[in-house]
Amino acid sequence: MSHILYDKLIEYGKNGKYPFHMPGHKRNDSMLSGMDPFDIDITEIVDFDNLHHPQGIIKEAMDRAASYYGTDRTWFLINGSSCGILAAINAVTDIGDKIIIGRNCHKAVYNAMTIRNLKGEYFYPEYVSELGINGGYNPEILEKLLRENKDTKAVVITSPTYDGIVSDIEKIAEITHKYGAVLIVDEAHGAHFRISDKLPTPAYKLGADLVIESVHKTLPSMTQTAVLHKCGNRVKEEEVEKSLGIYQSSSPSYVLMASIDRCIDVIENYGDNFMGKLLIALNNFRSNVNKLKSFYVPGKEIVGKFSVYDMDPTKLVICIKAQAGDGKWLSDILRKHYGFEMEMEAPEYVLGITGICDDLSQIQRLYESLKEIDSSISYKEKTCDAAEFELTRNDRAMSVYEAQKSESVPVKIEEAQGKVSGEFLYLYPPGIPLLVPGEVISHKLISHVKEFKKMNMNINGLADMENKYIKVIK
């Protein structure tokens, strides 16, 4: 009997490719002591509590998590960080309220805007043009936005970014609270920060009110597991719980809840030791790669520039300095010739995710592979500027909600300039919209899409699966 998806997964597990991608357990079940999901896959039977009304063992597990993190409350999420983002925004807004959001936020934030018909003001991060990545948020720009929009209910930002860039959360929280708003931080990629003081400080220790973390991204936990933290008294606990009741499955997985619980036990008892060894290996990796002529892996040297307050050293942004190729080129070589599966390829770089479950010898092998690639290509410095891929600042004609509710028609992307988008358009991963419904389609955006298609980048969001047509407001 053929099982198309299952068989493919088993094949991938046996093909020897090393995962520099999430989930953070890296298919290494030793951290979870060989947990068999079928053995613990149950429903809400007697003595096993209920995630939607926790009074027993689930409450104890979440209370232990809150104690470890140092938060007022920590909720288990079995619908991923997306669920936590939706619930957090739902808990602090009414229909039609105004929020300020980081323009590089995950699509879940925009979905929350649509569901709640929220008025959104965009907070753009700075841009690290020589690397082709988003930098941090400038607190002074946020203060200007809040001064001009005093009816703002919440500020929603992403820190760290997919590439590991951390903003000045303490200052941002101070400014947000000064204007009576709530700060929600999508810290999905920073669930490991609590492990070591050599890592950036978590947002919930710096004044953020609600913080969402994906434990599956960088920690030994199964895909779709996350946590939602609450600190302070600006958000009502019952509102969060009511919202989670809407966005969490009514049949929560005990497998996933147990995975979170086991994960927290592992990092509490062994995390600092494993992280210390990982950071030594990563420091050596950066030092060695940065001696090569064709590649560069940024580190703490960019802190203090582009509103970068701190940087997550476990993220490997492998930038390509030579004209030999782009991110897709390097990712393909690493996959086909060296057996590495990377997390993401971008126009100017390849991203690798590391964590405490990594085999440290594979980090050294990745360096040796890059060294071999470096010696095999004829080096010629790039002349193009990575700034050409900066997040486009599109004009807005209507709200996301209005655009989603308006009648739309498909047109060829090349003929869509000046029209109002009825769809999202984003590169996946990481799921940051390049275009949001209600925004005007510019010549620059169309040029970007053409370049991304040439590079075979993974464009998502459009109803047309071939990405030839885009729906625009009729």
Side-chain angles (χ1 to χ4, degrees):
M1 185 182 294
S2 176
H3 307 87
I4 297 171
L5 178 57
Y6 177 78
D7 289 345
K8 188 72 174 176
L9 287 168
I10 295 299
E11 179 189 341
Y12 176 68
K14 293 178 178 178
N15 69 11
K17 285 190 172 63
Y18 188 79
F20 277 110
H21 59 76
M22 59 179 109
H25 57 68
K26 302 299 179 88
R27 306 198 308 274
N28 175 6
D29 67 357
S30 62
M31 283 283 189
L32 298 176
S33 300
M35 188 176 81
D36 186 339
F38 290 100
D39 281 347
I40 57 174
D41 190 14
I42 63 169
T43 188
E44 294 91 342
I45 55 178
V46 175
D47 293 334
F48 283 87
D49 211 357
N50 186 319
L51 180 63
H52 292 291
H53 189 61
Q55 296 177 296
I57 56 174
I58 294 175
K59 182 180 185 301
E60 289 176 21
M62 292 196 297
D63 286 347
R64 184 183 75 156
S67 175
Y68 170 69
Y69 288 112
T71 59
D72 293 336
R73 280 294 303 270
T74 291
W75 289 272
F76 288 177
L77 305 177
I78 44 75
N79 284 34
S81 281
S82 296
C83 152
I85 291 168
L86 290 164
I89 295 174
N90 189 87
V92 301
T93 61
D94 292 320
I95 301 297
D97 276 347
K98 180 179 287 184
I99 64 172
I100 291 173
I101 72 167
R103 183 57 180 81
N104 60 329
C105 277
H106 187 267
K107 62 178 182 175
V109 176
Y110 295 88
N111 289 336
M113 288 175 64
T114 303
I115 293 166
R116 303 291 280 173
N117 190 15
L118 300 174
K119 302 178 184 73
E121 292 294 328
Y122 292 153
F123 183 18
Y124 282 85
E126 293 198 33
Y127 190 68
V128 189
S129 58
E130 58 260 43
L131 303 180
I133 64 174
N134 287 310
Y137 301 104
N138 186 329
E140 293 178 6
I141 294 176
L142 175 62
E143 178 138 35
K144 181 175 183 295
L145 282 168
L146 284 164
R147 198 181 302 122
E148 295 169 352
N149 299 276
K150 293 183 179 177
D151 54 343
T152 297
K153 284 288 189 73
V155 174
V156 187
I157 60 171
T158 299
S159 178
T161 65
Y162 202 46
D163 305 310
I165 300 296
V166 177
S167 293
D168 188 348
I169 299 300
E170 189 168 24
K171 184 65 175 176
I172 288 171
E174 178 189 317
I175 293 168
T176 300
H177 297 153
K178 174 182 172 183
Y179 289 87
V182 168
L183 178 61
I184 299 171
V185 178
D186 175 0
E187 196 170 70
H189 284 272
H192 56 295
F193 284 180
R194 167 66 178 83
I195 292 177
S196 170
D197 58 10
K198 294 181 176 66
L199 296 171
T201 304
Y204 49 81
K205 291 184 178 292
L206 296 171
D209 301 292
L210 294 173
V211 179
I212 302 96
E213 295 185 324
S214 286
V215 289
H216 78 90
K217 283 182 166 63
T218 55
L219 294 175
S221 191
M222 297 180 76
T223 296
Q224 210 169 296
T225 54
V227 288
L228 170 59
H229 305 295
K230 176 184 125 33
C231 286
N233 57 8
R234 291 181 182 84
V235 180
K236 293 180 180 177
E237 217 169 88
E238 57 267 31
E239 290 299 324
V240 178
E241 290 183 335
K242 186 164 59 176
S243 296
L244 286 171
I246 296 170
Y247 293 107
Q248 294 251 61
S249 169
S250 60
S251 300
S253 166
Y254 277 81
V255 176
L256 297 182
M257 288 187 284
S259 179
I260 300 171
D261 190 35
R262 292 293 297 277
C263 171
I264 291 169
D265 180 65
V266 168
I267 61 177
E268 185 173 17
N269 290 291
Y270 310 107
D272 190 38
N273 179 42
F274 281 106
M275 183 59 72
K277 293 175 181 176
L278 173 67
L279 293 177
I280 290 171
L282 293 176
N283 285 339
N284 290 335
F285 176 84
R286 275 189 172 82
S287 176
N288 289 331
V289 171
N290 290 346
K291 293 172 186 173
L292 303 177
K293 62 182 182 294
S294 304
F295 305 110
Y296 165 61
V297 181
K300 294 286 188 180
E301 68 278 2
I302 69 169
V303 171
K305 308 171 187 174
F306 313 103
S307 292
V308 177
Y309 186 75
D310 206 345
M311 188 164 185
D312 177 10
T314 71
K315 292 293 182 70
L316 300 180
V317 179
I318 305 172
C319 300
I320 304 157
K321 297 191 293 184
Q323 279 195 7
D326 53 25
K328 184 74 168 61
W329 162 81
L330 179 57
S331 183
D332 284 346
I333 290 176
L334 290 173
R335 180 188 305 109
K336 294 173 183 176
H337 299 286
Y338 297 97
F340 293 115
E341 194 71 50
M342 307 305 288
E343 169 66 23
M344 184 191 72
E345 57 218 23
E348 298 293 321
Y349 64 93
V350 167
L351 175 66
I353 291 181
T354 68
I356 61 172
C357 292
D358 270 298
D359 178 348
L360 302 187
S361 69
Q362 294 290 340
I363 295 173
Q364 175 63 21
R365 190 170 75 84
L366 178 60
Y367 160 67
E368 297 291 346
S369 302
L370 292 171
K371 182 180 179 181
E372 190 171 292
I373 296 168
D374 182 61
S375 65
S376 69
I377 60 178
S378 177
Y379 177 75
K380 187 177 180 184
E381 190 172 358
K382 281 194 174 182
T383 55
C384 66
D385 184 358
E388 63 190 67
F389 296 110
E390 183 176 3
L391 197 60
T392 308
R393 300 194 178 213
N394 306 311
D395 292 329
R396 281 184 291 163
M398 59 180 70
S399 73
V400 181
Y401 178 85
E402 290 171 325
Q404 297 269 47
K405 293 296 181 182
S406 298
E407 186 179 356
S408 60
V409 293
V411 300
K412 288 183 177 179
I413 291 177
E414 293 82 359
E415 299 170 4
Q417 184 175 340
K419 301 184 186 299
V420 178
S421 177
E423 296 187 280
F424 285 99
L425 188 152
Y426 50 88
L427 294 180
Y428 195 87
I432 298 168
L434 303 173
L435 181 68
V436 173
E439 292 183 340
V440 180
I441 300 166
S442 66
H443 173 73
K444 184 177 181 181
L445 180 81
I446 294 171
S447 298
H448 279 184
V449 173
K450 286 180 181 176
E451 287 300 313
F452 293 143
K453 288 171 80 170
K454 272 186 201 173
M455 296 175 181
N456 293 316
M457 306 297 286
N458 194 11
I459 299 171
N460 277 214
L462 302 182
D464 174 28
M465 301 299 284
E466 295 183 359
N467 297 317
K468 294 179 179 178
Y469 291 85
I470 184 169
K471 288 185 177 180
V472 299
I473 304 304
K474 189 173 180 180

